[in-house]
Amino acid sequence: SQKIEQNSEALNIQEGKTATLTCNYTNYSPAYLQWYRQDPGRGPVFLLLIRENEKEKRKERLKVTFDTTLKQSLFHITASQPADSATYLCGVNTGFQKLVFGTGTRLLVSP
Amino acid sequence: EADIYQTPRYLVIGTGKKITLECSQTMGHDKMYWYQQDPGMELHLIHYSYGVNSTEKGDLSSESTVSRIRTEHFPLTLESARPSHTSQYLCASSGADRGRNNEQFFGPGTRLTVL
């Protein structure tokens, strides 16, 4: 069956460390993959997109990698801050601007 | 800040009532989506539209219906609400005129509770 898997357990890290979140997918061949941030009670907010022909994409403290052989994307936040605490969603493209999302990983950054 | 709006933000109604959840965007996006999300769970696509007079069912079966008569407006209707419809409903839009990354812009959501 087709599915998107993200770390189901919350990720707790200390401020200043690098957070690494994982997104694995099966039975999809996405043209691109996106990462979103969702805060409690609010809609997701887009962070980064990485295309199938890209290995890595960076934006400020964020870095995303995409391995189409492993069917995996890694999302990194360097120099993490308490304000980075949120749930991060991986969205896999399944057709013309359609996405299938994982359950998300909750990140908690402690001061 | 995304220019996509949903009303109401919260709705508590009794079983059997007909409801319409409103979604509007001012970005001129041609594509719009409705997702359903339960607490701690993934977003499930229930409806989408590629433009005016275009509507498609999503990956998750839903008893709701949608319409797209105007570009900016994509309302969702439940003819007879049931407790199983209790959930958070999120509307989103995307388009070529903004968002080179094909990102979806989400509204704040409607939290629906059916008693």
Side-chain angles (χ1 to χ4, degrees), chain A residues 32 34 36 38 41 43-44 46 49 51 89 96-99 101-103, chain B residues 9 31 33 35 37 42-43 48 50 94 100-104 106-108:
Chain A
Y32 59 84
Q34 296 181 343
Y36 288 78
Q38 187 173 25
F46 171 80
L49 174 148
R51 301 186 186 279
L89 307 175
F96 190 50
Q97 293 195 25
K98 282 175 58 182
L99 296 173
F101 286 93
T103 54
Chain B
R9 290 293 313 277
K31 299 163 197 67
Y33 315 82
Y35 292 90
Q37 185 182 35
E42 61 265 55
L43 287 87
Y48 60 100
Y50 287 146
S94 68
R100 299 177 303 276
N101 290 305
N102 296 331
E103 68 256 42
Q104 294 186 14
F106 283 83

PDB file of all heavy atoms in Angstrom, chain A residues 32 34 36 38 41 43-44 46 49 51 89 96-99 101-103, chain B residues 9 31 33 35 37 42-43 48 50 94 100-104 106-108:
ATOM      1  N   TYR A  32       8.157  15.901  -6.695  1.00  0.00           N
ATOM      2  CA  TYR A  32       8.736  16.750  -5.667  1.00  0.00           C
ATOM      3  C   TYR A  32       8.158  16.378  -4.308  1.00  0.00           C
ATOM      4  O   TYR A  32       7.169  15.637  -4.224  1.00  0.00           O
ATOM      5  CB  TYR A  32       8.513  18.241  -5.952  1.00  0.00           C
ATOM      6  CG  TYR A  32       7.070  18.659  -6.076  1.00  0.00           C
ATOM      7  CD1 TYR A  32       6.307  18.967  -4.946  1.00  0.00           C
ATOM      8  CD2 TYR A  32       6.473  18.763  -7.329  1.00  0.00           C
ATOM      9  CE1 TYR A  32       4.989  19.349  -5.064  1.00  0.00           C
ATOM     10  CE2 TYR A  32       5.150  19.149  -7.453  1.00  0.00           C
ATOM     11  CZ  TYR A  32       4.412  19.443  -6.329  1.00  0.00           C
ATOM     12  OH  TYR A  32       3.104  19.821  -6.444  1.00  0.00           O
ATOM     13  N   GLN A  34       7.479  18.240  -0.308  1.00  0.00           N
ATOM     14  CA  GLN A  34       7.449  19.515   0.406  1.00  0.00           C
ATOM     15  C   GLN A  34       7.440  19.280   1.911  1.00  0.00           C
ATOM     16  O   GLN A  34       6.935  18.259   2.386  1.00  0.00           O
ATOM     17  CB  GLN A  34       6.192  20.307   0.023  1.00  0.00           C
ATOM     18  CG  GLN A  34       6.140  20.716  -1.443  1.00  0.00           C
ATOM     19  CD  GLN A  34       4.902  21.510  -1.780  1.00  0.00           C
ATOM     20  OE1 GLN A  34       3.928  21.510  -1.036  1.00  0.00           O
ATOM     21  NE2 GLN A  34       4.912  22.196  -2.909  1.00  0.00           N
ATOM     22  N   TYR A  36       6.253  21.204   5.559  1.00  0.00           N
ATOM     23  CA  TYR A  36       5.414  22.249   6.135  1.00  0.00           C
ATOM     24  C   TYR A  36       5.589  22.247   7.643  1.00  0.00           C
ATOM     25  O   TYR A  36       5.878  21.220   8.258  1.00  0.00           O
ATOM     26  CB  TYR A  36       3.936  21.996   5.819  1.00  0.00           C
ATOM     27  CG  TYR A  36       3.547  22.232   4.386  1.00  0.00           C
ATOM     28  CD1 TYR A  36       3.844  21.303   3.401  1.00  0.00           C
ATOM     29  CD2 TYR A  36       2.853  23.384   4.011  1.00  0.00           C
ATOM     30  CE1 TYR A  36       3.490  21.515   2.084  1.00  0.00           C
ATOM     31  CE2 TYR A  36       2.480  23.604   2.694  1.00  0.00           C
ATOM     32  CZ  TYR A  36       2.811  22.666   1.737  1.00  0.00           C
ATOM     33  OH  TYR A  36       2.442  22.881   0.429  1.00  0.00           O
ATOM     34  N   GLN A  38       3.384  23.067  11.153  1.00  0.00           N
ATOM     35  CA  GLN A  38       2.034  23.281  11.663  1.00  0.00           C
ATOM     36  C   GLN A  38       2.089  23.534  13.162  1.00  0.00           C
ATOM     37  O   GLN A  38       2.623  22.727  13.922  1.00  0.00           O
ATOM     38  CB  GLN A  38       1.120  22.089  11.357  1.00  0.00           C
ATOM     39  CG  GLN A  38      -0.329  22.352  11.735  1.00  0.00           C
ATOM     40  CD  GLN A  38      -1.277  21.254  11.297  1.00  0.00           C
ATOM     41  OE1 GLN A  38      -0.875  20.102  11.129  1.00  0.00           O
ATOM     42  NE2 GLN A  38      -2.543  21.595  11.091  1.00  0.00           N
ATOM     43  N   GLY A  41      -3.683  24.162  16.353  1.00  0.00           N
ATOM     44  CA  GLY A  41      -4.874  24.925  16.021  1.00  0.00           C
ATOM     45  C   GLY A  41      -4.767  25.781  14.783  1.00  0.00           C
ATOM     46  O   GLY A  41      -5.653  26.598  14.510  1.00  0.00           O
ATOM     47  N   GLY A  43      -3.380  26.181  10.418  1.00  0.00           N
ATOM     48  CA  GLY A  43      -3.090  25.463   9.187  1.00  0.00           C
ATOM     49  C   GLY A  43      -1.605  25.373   8.949  1.00  0.00           C
ATOM     50  O   GLY A  43      -0.825  26.185   9.452  1.00  0.00           O
ATOM     51  N   PRO A  44      -1.171  24.362   8.184  1.00  0.00           N
ATOM     52  CA  PRO A  44       0.263  24.223   7.867  1.00  0.00           C
ATOM     53  C   PRO A  44       0.784  25.410   7.075  1.00  0.00           C
ATOM     54  O   PRO A  44       0.047  26.050   6.327  1.00  0.00           O
ATOM     55  CB  PRO A  44       0.306  22.945   7.032  1.00  0.00           C
ATOM     56  CG  PRO A  44      -0.932  22.199   7.386  1.00  0.00           C
ATOM     57  CD  PRO A  44      -1.962  23.248   7.662  1.00  0.00           C
ATOM     58  N   PHE A  46       4.016  26.429   4.472  1.00  0.00           N
ATOM     59  CA  PHE A  46       5.058  25.879   3.608  1.00  0.00           C
ATOM     60  C   PHE A  46       6.444  26.351   4.029  1.00  0.00           C
ATOM     61  O   PHE A  46       6.640  27.526   4.378  1.00  0.00           O
ATOM     62  CB  PHE A  46       4.788  26.310   2.166  1.00  0.00           C
ATOM     63  CG  PHE A  46       5.904  25.991   1.210  1.00  0.00           C
ATOM     64  CD1 PHE A  46       6.047  24.706   0.699  1.00  0.00           C
ATOM     65  CD2 PHE A  46       6.814  26.962   0.833  1.00  0.00           C
ATOM     66  CE1 PHE A  46       7.077  24.414  -0.182  1.00  0.00           C
ATOM     67  CE2 PHE A  46       7.836  26.684  -0.041  1.00  0.00           C
ATOM     68  CZ  PHE A  46       7.967  25.406  -0.553  1.00  0.00           C
ATOM     69  N   LEU A  49      10.545  23.126  -0.702  1.00  0.00           N
ATOM     70  CA  LEU A  49      10.242  22.110  -1.716  1.00  0.00           C
ATOM     71  C   LEU A  49      11.561  21.574  -2.263  1.00  0.00           C
ATOM     72  O   LEU A  49      12.516  22.332  -2.448  1.00  0.00           O
ATOM     73  CB  LEU A  49       9.427  22.727  -2.854  1.00  0.00           C
ATOM     74  CG  LEU A  49       9.150  21.833  -4.081  1.00  0.00           C
ATOM     75  CD1 LEU A  49       7.804  22.192  -4.694  1.00  0.00           C
ATOM     76  CD2 LEU A  49      10.242  21.967  -5.142  1.00  0.00           C
ATOM     77  N   ARG A  51      12.871  18.921  -5.453  1.00  0.00           N
ATOM     78  CA  ARG A  51      12.433  18.181  -6.626  1.00  0.00           C
ATOM     79  C   ARG A  51      13.209  16.867  -6.765  1.00  0.00           C
ATOM     80  O   ARG A  51      14.275  16.701  -6.182  1.00  0.00           O
ATOM     81  CB  ARG A  51      12.589  19.018  -7.891  1.00  0.00           C
ATOM     82  CG  ARG A  51      11.808  20.323  -7.844  1.00  0.00           C
ATOM     83  CD  ARG A  51      11.822  21.110  -9.121  1.00  0.00           C
ATOM     84  NE  ARG A  51      11.180  22.408  -8.941  1.00  0.00           N
ATOM     85  CZ  ARG A  51       9.870  22.601  -8.955  1.00  0.00           C
ATOM     86  NH1 ARG A  51       9.062  21.580  -9.169  1.00  0.00           N
ATOM     87  NH2 ARG A  51       9.364  23.800  -8.773  1.00  0.00           N
ATOM     88  N   LEU A  89       5.436  18.564   8.856  1.00  0.00           N
ATOM     89  CA  LEU A  89       4.756  17.627   7.964  1.00  0.00           C
ATOM     90  C   LEU A  89       5.527  17.451   6.669  1.00  0.00           C
ATOM     91  O   LEU A  89       6.008  18.437   6.086  1.00  0.00           O
ATOM     92  CB  LEU A  89       3.354  18.142   7.614  1.00  0.00           C
ATOM     93  CG  LEU A  89       2.425  18.528   8.759  1.00  0.00           C
ATOM     94  CD1 LEU A  89       1.139  19.125   8.202  1.00  0.00           C
ATOM     95  CD2 LEU A  89       2.108  17.324   9.612  1.00  0.00           C
ATOM     96  N   PHE A  96      -0.733  16.238 -10.238  1.00  0.00           N
ATOM     97  CA  PHE A  96      -0.681  17.652 -10.551  1.00  0.00           C
ATOM     98  C   PHE A  96      -0.995  18.495  -9.307  1.00  0.00           C
ATOM     99  O   PHE A  96      -2.143  18.740  -8.966  1.00  0.00           O
ATOM    100  CB  PHE A  96      -1.666  17.956 -11.669  1.00  0.00           C
ATOM    101  CG  PHE A  96      -1.520  19.329 -12.223  1.00  0.00           C
ATOM    102  CD1 PHE A  96      -0.291  19.823 -12.607  1.00  0.00           C
ATOM    103  CD2 PHE A  96      -2.628  20.128 -12.385  1.00  0.00           C
ATOM    104  CE1 PHE A  96      -0.155  21.093 -13.140  1.00  0.00           C
ATOM    105  CE2 PHE A  96      -2.502  21.409 -12.915  1.00  0.00           C
ATOM    106  CZ  PHE A  96      -1.265  21.887 -13.287  1.00  0.00           C
ATOM    107  N   GLN A  97       0.067  18.922  -8.636  1.00  0.00           N
ATOM    108  CA  GLN A  97      -0.024  19.760  -7.443  1.00  0.00           C
ATOM    109  C   GLN A  97      -0.892  19.153  -6.343  1.00  0.00           C
ATOM    110  O   GLN A  97      -1.504  19.863  -5.568  1.00  0.00           O
ATOM    111  CB  GLN A  97      -0.503  21.173  -7.802  1.00  0.00           C
ATOM    112  CG  GLN A  97       0.534  21.920  -8.626  1.00  0.00           C
ATOM    113  CD  GLN A  97       0.286  23.417  -8.716  1.00  0.00           C
ATOM    114  OE1 GLN A  97      -0.352  24.001  -7.857  1.00  0.00           O
ATOM    115  NE2 GLN A  97       0.807  24.044  -9.759  1.00  0.00           N
ATOM    116  N   LYS A  98      -0.963  17.814  -6.315  1.00  0.00           N
ATOM    117  CA  LYS A  98      -1.626  17.127  -5.207  1.00  0.00           C
ATOM    118  C   LYS A  98      -0.576  16.567  -4.277  1.00  0.00           C
ATOM    119  O   LYS A  98       0.505  16.153  -4.718  1.00  0.00           O
ATOM    120  CB  LYS A  98      -2.497  15.979  -5.727  1.00  0.00           C
ATOM    121  CG  LYS A  98      -3.823  16.404  -6.307  1.00  0.00           C
ATOM    122  CD  LYS A  98      -4.536  15.206  -6.904  1.00  0.00           C
ATOM    123  CE  LYS A  98      -4.767  14.114  -5.896  1.00  0.00           C
ATOM    124  NZ  LYS A  98      -5.414  12.920  -6.484  1.00  0.00           N
ATOM    125  N   LEU A  99      -0.877  16.547  -2.984  1.00  0.00           N
ATOM    126  CA  LEU A  99       0.057  16.039  -1.979  1.00  0.00           C
ATOM    127  C   LEU A  99      -0.613  14.989  -1.104  1.00  0.00           C
ATOM    128  O   LEU A  99      -1.804  15.072  -0.815  1.00  0.00           O
ATOM    129  CB  LEU A  99       0.534  17.171  -1.072  1.00  0.00           C
ATOM    130  CG  LEU A  99       1.352  18.301  -1.681  1.00  0.00           C
ATOM    131  CD1 LEU A  99       1.562  19.401  -0.655  1.00  0.00           C
ATOM    132  CD2 LEU A  99       2.694  17.777  -2.180  1.00  0.00           C
ATOM    133  N   PHE A 101       0.149  13.620   2.753  1.00  0.00           N
ATOM    134  CA  PHE A 101       0.939  14.022   3.909  1.00  0.00           C
ATOM    135  C   PHE A 101       1.176  12.866   4.870  1.00  0.00           C
ATOM    136  O   PHE A 101       0.342  11.956   5.006  1.00  0.00           O
ATOM    137  CB  PHE A 101       0.212  15.134   4.676  1.00  0.00           C
ATOM    138  CG  PHE A 101       0.250  16.461   4.003  1.00  0.00           C
ATOM    139  CD1 PHE A 101      -0.779  16.852   3.152  1.00  0.00           C
ATOM    140  CD2 PHE A 101       1.304  17.336   4.214  1.00  0.00           C
ATOM    141  CE1 PHE A 101      -0.753  18.089   2.522  1.00  0.00           C
ATOM    142  CE2 PHE A 101       1.342  18.578   3.597  1.00  0.00           C
ATOM    143  CZ  PHE A 101       0.316  18.950   2.750  1.00  0.00           C
ATOM    144  N   GLY A 102       2.315  12.927   5.572  1.00  0.00           N
ATOM    145  CA  GLY A 102       2.553  12.042   6.690  1.00  0.00           C
ATOM    146  C   GLY A 102       1.864  12.596   7.931  1.00  0.00           C
ATOM    147  O   GLY A 102       1.261  13.680   7.897  1.00  0.00           O
ATOM    148  N   THR A 103       1.963  11.842   9.032  1.00  0.00           N
ATOM    149  CA  THR A 103       1.314  12.268  10.274  1.00  0.00           C
ATOM    150  C   THR A 103       2.046  13.422  10.938  1.00  0.00           C
ATOM    151  O   THR A 103       1.493  14.089  11.800  1.00  0.00           O
ATOM    152  CB  THR A 103       1.244  11.112  11.289  1.00  0.00           C
ATOM    153  OG1 THR A 103       2.555  10.597  11.471  1.00  0.00           O
ATOM    154  CG2 THR A 103       0.324  10.017  10.796  1.00  0.00           C
TER     155      THR A 103
ATOM    156  N   ARG B   9     -14.664  29.521  12.321  1.00  0.00           N
ATOM    157  CA  ARG B   9     -13.472  28.876  12.869  1.00  0.00           C
ATOM    158  C   ARG B   9     -13.851  27.687  13.738  1.00  0.00           C
ATOM    159  O   ARG B   9     -13.162  26.687  13.783  1.00  0.00           O
ATOM    160  CB  ARG B   9     -12.656  29.878  13.694  1.00  0.00           C
ATOM    161  CG  ARG B   9     -11.980  30.960  12.897  1.00  0.00           C
ATOM    162  CD  ARG B   9     -10.864  30.397  12.001  1.00  0.00           C
ATOM    163  NE  ARG B   9      -9.971  29.485  12.692  1.00  0.00           N
ATOM    164  CZ  ARG B   9      -8.949  29.851  13.435  1.00  0.00           C
ATOM    165  NH1 ARG B   9      -8.673  31.122  13.598  1.00  0.00           N
ATOM    166  NH2 ARG B   9      -8.180  28.936  14.018  1.00  0.00           N
ATOM    167  N   LYS B  31      -6.140  26.369  -8.214  1.00  0.00           N
ATOM    168  CA  LYS B  31      -6.317  25.088  -7.514  1.00  0.00           C
ATOM    169  C   LYS B  31      -6.695  25.307  -6.049  1.00  0.00           C
ATOM    170  O   LYS B  31      -6.104  26.120  -5.358  1.00  0.00           O
ATOM    171  CB  LYS B  31      -5.037  24.250  -7.611  1.00  0.00           C
ATOM    172  CG  LYS B  31      -4.670  23.928  -9.046  1.00  0.00           C
ATOM    173  CD  LYS B  31      -3.256  23.483  -9.180  1.00  0.00           C
ATOM    174  CE  LYS B  31      -2.791  23.571 -10.631  1.00  0.00           C
ATOM    175  NZ  LYS B  31      -2.714  24.956 -11.138  1.00  0.00           N
ATOM    176  N   TYR B  33      -8.232  23.079  -2.383  1.00  0.00           N
ATOM    177  CA  TYR B  33      -8.275  21.754  -1.759  1.00  0.00           C
ATOM    178  C   TYR B  33      -9.019  21.834  -0.426  1.00  0.00           C
ATOM    179  O   TYR B  33      -8.975  22.857   0.264  1.00  0.00           O
ATOM    180  CB  TYR B  33      -6.852  21.254  -1.467  1.00  0.00           C
ATOM    181  CG  TYR B  33      -5.854  21.440  -2.585  1.00  0.00           C
ATOM    182  CD1 TYR B  33      -5.212  22.656  -2.777  1.00  0.00           C
ATOM    183  CD2 TYR B  33      -5.524  20.383  -3.431  1.00  0.00           C
ATOM    184  CE1 TYR B  33      -4.277  22.828  -3.792  1.00  0.00           C
ATOM    185  CE2 TYR B  33      -4.585  20.546  -4.447  1.00  0.00           C
ATOM    186  CZ  TYR B  33      -3.972  21.785  -4.618  1.00  0.00           C
ATOM    187  OH  TYR B  33      -3.048  21.946  -5.629  1.00  0.00           O
ATOM    188  N   TYR B  35      -9.004  19.476   3.122  1.00  0.00           N
ATOM    189  CA  TYR B  35      -8.416  18.384   3.872  1.00  0.00           C
ATOM    190  C   TYR B  35      -9.190  18.189   5.169  1.00  0.00           C
ATOM    191  O   TYR B  35      -9.751  19.138   5.722  1.00  0.00           O
ATOM    192  CB  TYR B  35      -6.959  18.684   4.247  1.00  0.00           C
ATOM    193  CG  TYR B  35      -5.992  18.739   3.094  1.00  0.00           C
ATOM    194  CD1 TYR B  35      -5.753  19.938   2.422  1.00  0.00           C
ATOM    195  CD2 TYR B  35      -5.288  17.608   2.688  1.00  0.00           C
ATOM    196  CE1 TYR B  35      -4.844  20.001   1.375  1.00  0.00           C
ATOM    197  CE2 TYR B  35      -4.379  17.663   1.643  1.00  0.00           C
ATOM    198  CZ  TYR B  35      -4.163  18.863   0.990  1.00  0.00           C
ATOM    199  OH  TYR B  35      -3.267  18.923  -0.052  1.00  0.00           O
ATOM    200  N   GLN B  37      -8.514  16.650   9.082  1.00  0.00           N
ATOM    201  CA  GLN B  37      -7.423  16.276   9.974  1.00  0.00           C
ATOM    202  C   GLN B  37      -7.947  16.064  11.376  1.00  0.00           C
ATOM    203  O   GLN B  37      -8.512  16.970  11.988  1.00  0.00           O
ATOM    204  CB  GLN B  37      -6.334  17.358   9.990  1.00  0.00           C
ATOM    205  CG  GLN B  37      -5.107  16.970  10.821  1.00  0.00           C
ATOM    206  CD  GLN B  37      -4.062  18.060  10.857  1.00  0.00           C
ATOM    207  OE1 GLN B  37      -4.379  19.246  10.858  1.00  0.00           O
ATOM    208  NE2 GLN B  37      -2.791  17.665  10.892  1.00  0.00           N
ATOM    209  N   GLU B  42      -2.670  12.559  10.212  1.00  0.00           N
ATOM    210  CA  GLU B  42      -2.276  13.234   8.980  1.00  0.00           C
ATOM    211  C   GLU B  42      -3.458  13.950   8.335  1.00  0.00           C
ATOM    212  O   GLU B  42      -4.616  13.674   8.640  1.00  0.00           O
ATOM    213  CB  GLU B  42      -1.686  12.233   7.974  1.00  0.00           C
ATOM    214  CG  GLU B  42      -2.625  11.122   7.535  1.00  0.00           C
ATOM    215  CD  GLU B  42      -2.436   9.867   8.351  1.00  0.00           C
ATOM    216  OE1 GLU B  42      -2.517   9.940   9.593  1.00  0.00           O
ATOM    217  OE2 GLU B  42      -2.245   8.799   7.735  1.00  0.00           O
ATOM    218  N   LEU B  43      -3.142  14.889   7.463  1.00  0.00           N
ATOM    219  CA  LEU B  43      -4.178  15.535   6.660  1.00  0.00           C
ATOM    220  C   LEU B  43      -4.621  14.553   5.563  1.00  0.00           C
ATOM    221  O   LEU B  43      -3.786  13.940   4.910  1.00  0.00           O
ATOM    222  CB  LEU B  43      -3.640  16.781   5.966  1.00  0.00           C
ATOM    223  CG  LEU B  43      -3.372  18.007   6.810  1.00  0.00           C
ATOM    224  CD1 LEU B  43      -1.987  17.960   7.397  1.00  0.00           C
ATOM    225  CD2 LEU B  43      -3.526  19.264   5.962  1.00  0.00           C
ATOM    226  N   TYR B  48     -10.828  18.339  -4.215  1.00  0.00           N
ATOM    227  CA  TYR B  48      -9.962  19.346  -4.804  1.00  0.00           C
ATOM    228  C   TYR B  48     -10.579  19.856  -6.094  1.00  0.00           C
ATOM    229  O   TYR B  48     -11.499  19.242  -6.652  1.00  0.00           O
ATOM    230  CB  TYR B  48      -8.543  18.825  -5.036  1.00  0.00           C
ATOM    231  CG  TYR B  48      -8.413  17.638  -5.957  1.00  0.00           C
ATOM    232  CD1 TYR B  48      -8.023  17.796  -7.279  1.00  0.00           C
ATOM    233  CD2 TYR B  48      -8.622  16.340  -5.488  1.00  0.00           C
ATOM    234  CE1 TYR B  48      -7.871  16.698  -8.117  1.00  0.00           C
ATOM    235  CE2 TYR B  48      -8.468  15.245  -6.318  1.00  0.00           C
ATOM    236  CZ  TYR B  48      -8.097  15.425  -7.629  1.00  0.00           C
ATOM    237  OH  TYR B  48      -7.948  14.337  -8.449  1.00  0.00           O
ATOM    238  N   TYR B  50      -9.443  22.078  -9.824  1.00  0.00           N
ATOM    239  CA  TYR B  50      -8.396  22.659 -10.657  1.00  0.00           C
ATOM    240  C   TYR B  50      -8.817  23.991 -11.261  1.00  0.00           C
ATOM    241  O   TYR B  50      -8.038  24.630 -11.967  1.00  0.00           O
ATOM    242  CB  TYR B  50      -7.989  21.698 -11.771  1.00  0.00           C
ATOM    243  CG  TYR B  50      -7.188  20.515 -11.297  1.00  0.00           C
ATOM    244  CD1 TYR B  50      -7.324  19.261 -11.906  1.00  0.00           C
ATOM    245  CD2 TYR B  50      -6.301  20.625 -10.239  1.00  0.00           C
ATOM    246  CE1 TYR B  50      -6.578  18.163 -11.463  1.00  0.00           C
ATOM    247  CE2 TYR B  50      -5.563  19.542  -9.793  1.00  0.00           C
ATOM    248  CZ  TYR B  50      -5.709  18.318 -10.409  1.00  0.00           C
ATOM    249  OH  TYR B  50      -4.972  17.238  -9.970  1.00  0.00           O
ATOM    250  N   SER B  94      -3.453  26.727  -4.309  1.00  0.00           N
ATOM    251  CA  SER B  94      -2.139  26.869  -4.946  1.00  0.00           C
ATOM    252  C   SER B  94      -2.344  27.343  -6.367  1.00  0.00           C
ATOM    253  O   SER B  94      -3.421  27.164  -6.947  1.00  0.00           O
ATOM    254  CB  SER B  94      -1.354  25.558  -4.918  1.00  0.00           C
ATOM    255  OG  SER B  94      -1.966  24.583  -5.748  1.00  0.00           O
ATOM    256  N   ARG B 100       6.161  29.759  -6.718  1.00  0.00           N
ATOM    257  CA  ARG B 100       6.934  29.033  -7.721  1.00  0.00           C
ATOM    258  C   ARG B 100       7.220  27.625  -7.239  1.00  0.00           C
ATOM    259  O   ARG B 100       7.535  26.749  -7.998  1.00  0.00           O
ATOM    260  CB  ARG B 100       8.244  29.750  -8.017  1.00  0.00           C
ATOM    261  CG  ARG B 100       8.085  31.158  -8.563  1.00  0.00           C
ATOM    262  CD  ARG B 100       9.445  31.814  -8.745  1.00  0.00           C
ATOM    263  NE  ARG B 100      10.209  31.839  -7.515  1.00  0.00           N
ATOM    264  CZ  ARG B 100      10.065  32.768  -6.584  1.00  0.00           C
ATOM    265  NH1 ARG B 100       9.178  33.708  -6.735  1.00  0.00           N
ATOM    266  NH2 ARG B 100      10.799  32.735  -5.489  1.00  0.00           N
ATOM    267  N   ASN B 101       7.108  27.432  -5.936  1.00  0.00           N
ATOM    268  CA  ASN B 101       7.372  26.128  -5.368  1.00  0.00           C
ATOM    269  C   ASN B 101       6.136  25.247  -5.332  1.00  0.00           C
ATOM    270  O   ASN B 101       6.156  24.211  -4.702  1.00  0.00           O
ATOM    271  CB  ASN B 101       7.923  26.290  -3.944  1.00  0.00           C
ATOM    272  CG  ASN B 101       9.316  26.867  -3.943  1.00  0.00           C
ATOM    273  OD1 ASN B 101      10.201  26.330  -4.581  1.00  0.00           O
ATOM    274  ND2 ASN B 101       9.515  27.955  -3.231  1.00  0.00           N
ATOM    275  N   ASN B 102       5.054  25.653  -5.990  1.00  0.00           N
ATOM    276  CA  ASN B 102       3.805  24.898  -5.968  1.00  0.00           C
ATOM    277  C   ASN B 102       3.280  24.704  -4.548  1.00  0.00           C
ATOM    278  O   ASN B 102       2.569  23.746  -4.289  1.00  0.00           O
ATOM    279  CB  ASN B 102       3.982  23.518  -6.623  1.00  0.00           C
ATOM    280  CG  ASN B 102       4.310  23.615  -8.091  1.00  0.00           C
ATOM    281  OD1 ASN B 102       3.919  24.562  -8.753  1.00  0.00           O
ATOM    282  ND2 ASN B 102       5.038  22.647  -8.600  1.00  0.00           N
ATOM    283  N   GLU B 103       3.690  25.594  -3.662  1.00  0.00           N
ATOM    284  CA  GLU B 103       3.255  25.390  -2.284  1.00  0.00           C
ATOM    285  C   GLU B 103       1.769  25.635  -2.155  1.00  0.00           C
ATOM    286  O   GLU B 103       1.164  26.406  -2.899  1.00  0.00           O
ATOM    287  CB  GLU B 103       4.010  26.297  -1.303  1.00  0.00           C
ATOM    288  CG  GLU B 103       3.713  27.769  -1.416  1.00  0.00           C
ATOM    289  CD  GLU B 103       4.818  28.498  -2.108  1.00  0.00           C
ATOM    290  OE1 GLU B 103       5.340  27.975  -3.107  1.00  0.00           O
ATOM    291  OE2 GLU B 103       5.162  29.603  -1.650  1.00  0.00           O
ATOM    292  N   GLN B 104       1.203  24.961  -1.179  1.00  0.00           N
ATOM    293  CA  GLN B 104      -0.197  25.148  -0.860  1.00  0.00           C
ATOM    294  C   GLN B 104      -0.282  26.125   0.309  1.00  0.00           C
ATOM    295  O   GLN B 104       0.445  26.005   1.292  1.00  0.00           O
ATOM    296  CB  GLN B 104      -0.854  23.811  -0.515  1.00  0.00           C
ATOM    297  CG  GLN B 104      -0.895  22.868  -1.724  1.00  0.00           C
ATOM    298  CD  GLN B 104      -1.648  21.598  -1.467  1.00  0.00           C
ATOM    299  OE1 GLN B 104      -2.379  21.464  -0.486  1.00  0.00           O
ATOM    300  NE2 GLN B 104      -1.498  20.626  -2.357  1.00  0.00           N
ATOM    301  N   PHE B 106      -2.562  27.429   3.267  1.00  0.00           N
ATOM    302  CA  PHE B 106      -3.652  26.895   4.060  1.00  0.00           C
ATOM    303  C   PHE B 106      -4.390  27.992   4.814  1.00  0.00           C
ATOM    304  O   PHE B 106      -3.788  28.975   5.275  1.00  0.00           O
ATOM    305  CB  PHE B 106      -3.121  25.882   5.084  1.00  0.00           C
ATOM    306  CG  PHE B 106      -2.792  24.542   4.494  1.00  0.00           C
ATOM    307  CD1 PHE B 106      -1.573  24.326   3.866  1.00  0.00           C
ATOM    308  CD2 PHE B 106      -3.700  23.501   4.558  1.00  0.00           C
ATOM    309  CE1 PHE B 106      -1.260  23.085   3.308  1.00  0.00           C
ATOM    310  CE2 PHE B 106      -3.394  22.259   4.009  1.00  0.00           C
ATOM    311  CZ  PHE B 106      -2.182  22.058   3.390  1.00  0.00           C
ATOM    312  N   GLY B 107      -5.689  27.783   4.960  1.00  0.00           N
ATOM    313  CA  GLY B 107      -6.469  28.620   5.836  1.00  0.00           C
ATOM    314  C   GLY B 107      -6.298  28.175   7.280  1.00  0.00           C
ATOM    315  O   GLY B 107      -5.618  27.176   7.552  1.00  0.00           O
ATOM    316  N   PRO B 108      -6.930  28.880   8.222  1.00  0.00           N
ATOM    317  CA  PRO B 108      -6.767  28.554   9.646  1.00  0.00           C
ATOM    318  C   PRO B 108      -7.547  27.324  10.084  1.00  0.00           C
ATOM    319  O   PRO B 108      -7.304  26.799  11.176  1.00  0.00           O
ATOM    320  CB  PRO B 108      -7.295  29.803  10.345  1.00  0.00           C
ATOM    321  CG  PRO B 108      -8.285  30.372   9.385  1.00  0.00           C
ATOM    322  CD  PRO B 108      -7.740  30.077   8.018  1.00  0.00           C
TER     323      PRO B 108
END
